[in-house]
Amino acid sequence: MTESSTLSLVTVIIAISASLVAWFVIDLGTVTMAKYRASFTERAHFQAQEFFFFIDPRKLFVANLAVMALGGIAVWSVTGAAIIAIPAFFMLGLLPRWLYALLRQRRLDHFEQQLPDALMMIAGALRAGLGLSSALAQLVAETGPPISQEFGLMLREQRLGVTLEQSLGNLNRRIPSASTTLVVSAMRIAAETGGGLAETLERTAHTVRSRLQLEGKIRALTSQGKLQAWVVGGLPLLLMAVLNKMEPEAMSRLWHTREGWATLVVIGLLEVLGVYVIRRIIAIDV
């Protein structure tokens, strides 16, 4: 074989190999994207229903991809380093989970804040001679979400034939908090023993209100520690931004060399670890 024919054969083999690798990567990416889409839409459908939102999860999936792409492009345009833009792109994929956790925690906190007044309202209606179903209906009509949504769902379950114990268990499963567990246990004991439900709810309301006041005092006392965690975590990032403006040539090694990338990884790990340790120290469970 001549040298030219050998070179052509090698070129053909390389082209075929590259095509097979590209086909494998595309096929793997398609399967992975399909699995991610199915998992995302299923989880988003459940989470939206938990917030009583009726949104097409496919639209949420498209919005999530758009945010990931725009965020990655924005980071790349600012830093000019693909090694930073690519992790930012994938980290934005976790944004829906973080946002859901934040909104869910706020909803649970709002529910607990409404709970003592709701229990007093139910106890007052029971003392006035109304039944439990009528008292719950009055509560749903006169209060706002999320407590009106949860007790309204509990009321609809009872109208469909679900027992009081089962509807209370469903409420405790939807709102997994210590206050809800205390209320459900008190109502179950009062229903089983035949005790005064109004008095039980009033005592439970006072207990929950005292617990919330204690938690508020603890949050006020630990707020300085939480602020210190964010300040300590933000100072290195602010210093990097200032130095990048003042000495862009010296800082370019941090963005465009392997040693700089390794340094960024170490900085990121230490940042996350430091904030986590400080928040664990000031986390006090009541």
Side-chain angles (χ1 to χ4, degrees):
M1 295 177 64
T2 63
E3 184 177 353
S4 59
S5 60
T6 303
L7 183 61
S8 300
L9 180 60
V10 172
T11 304
V12 171
I13 294 175
I14 293 176
I16 295 174
S17 301
S19 301
L20 291 176
V21 171
W23 174 81
F24 175 76
V25 171
I26 293 173
D27 183 68
L28 181 61
T30 303
V31 173
T32 304
M33 179 61 69
K35 291 182 179 180
Y36 175 70
R37 179 178 181 180
S39 175
F40 181 91
T41 53
E42 182 180 358
R43 185 173 62 252
H45 180 68
F46 170 76
Q47 293 171 352
Q49 283 187 340
E50 189 175 10
F51 288 107
F52 292 86
F53 293 151
F54 302 98
I55 306 175
D56 188 358
R58 291 173 295 182
K59 295 181 180 179
L60 296 177
F61 176 74
V62 174
N64 182 40
L65 290 181
V67 170
M68 292 171 63
L70 292 176
I73 294 173
V75 173
W76 180 75
S77 62
V78 171
T79 62
I83 193 65
I84 301 177
I86 293 175
F89 172 80
F90 287 104
M91 286 182 64
L92 286 174
L94 301 176
L95 181 62
R97 295 190 179 186
W98 294 338
L99 183 61
Y100 166 73
L102 176 63
L103 294 177
R104 189 170 188 269
Q105 186 59 45
R106 291 184 61 182
R107 191 171 189 272
L108 292 177
D109 293 340
H110 194 193
F111 180 88
E112 287 196 341
Q113 294 293 333
Q114 292 178 303
L115 190 57
D117 293 334
L119 295 178
M120 295 299 294
M121 187 180 296
I122 296 174
L126 293 176
R127 288 185 180 276
L130 297 179
L132 181 59
S133 298
S134 301
L136 292 176
Q138 182 179 355
L139 172 68
V140 172
E142 297 181 5
T143 57
I147 203 162
S148 61
Q149 296 171 337
E150 297 296 339
F151 279 96
L153 181 57
M154 177 180 169
L155 187 61
R156 288 193 294 272
E157 287 178 347
Q158 292 184 8
R159 289 173 178 171
L160 292 175
V162 179
T163 63
L164 176 62
E165 183 175 357
Q166 291 176 342
S167 61
L168 288 173
N170 294 335
L171 175 64
N172 193 20
R173 186 165 53 253
R174 293 193 304 271
I175 309 293
S177 64
S179 299
T180 308
T181 302
L182 180 62
V183 172
V184 169
S185 300
M187 294 183 70
R188 282 176 174 174
I189 292 173
E192 292 176 359
T193 60
L197 183 57
E199 292 81 359
T200 302
L201 292 178
E202 288 178 352
R203 290 194 298 268
T204 306
H206 290 306
T207 303
V208 173
R209 185 174 283 112
S210 300
R211 181 176 177 272
L212 292 177
Q213 291 175 353
L214 180 59
E215 288 182 348
K217 292 180 180 179
I218 292 176
R219 281 195 297 267
L221 294 174
T222 57
S223 59
Q224 182 180 359
K226 294 178 181 178
L227 180 60
Q228 289 176 349
W230 290 112
V231 171
V232 170
L235 277 177
L237 303 179
L238 179 62
L239 182 61
M240 288 170 58
V242 172
L243 291 176
N244 191 48
K245 291 295 183 181
M246 296 176 60
E247 297 290 341
E249 184 176 353
M251 291 293 291
S252 63
R253 296 192 60 186
L254 187 65
W255 314 116
H256 303 289
T257 62
R258 294 182 179 180
E259 293 80 3
W261 299 339
T263 304
L264 289 175
V265 171
V266 173
I267 291 174
L269 291 176
L270 293 178
E271 285 277 324
V272 173
L273 182 61
V275 173
Y276 174 77
V277 169
I278 294 177
R279 291 187 65 85
R280 289 293 298 176
I281 291 174
I282 62 178
I284 302 175
D285 191 13
V286 180

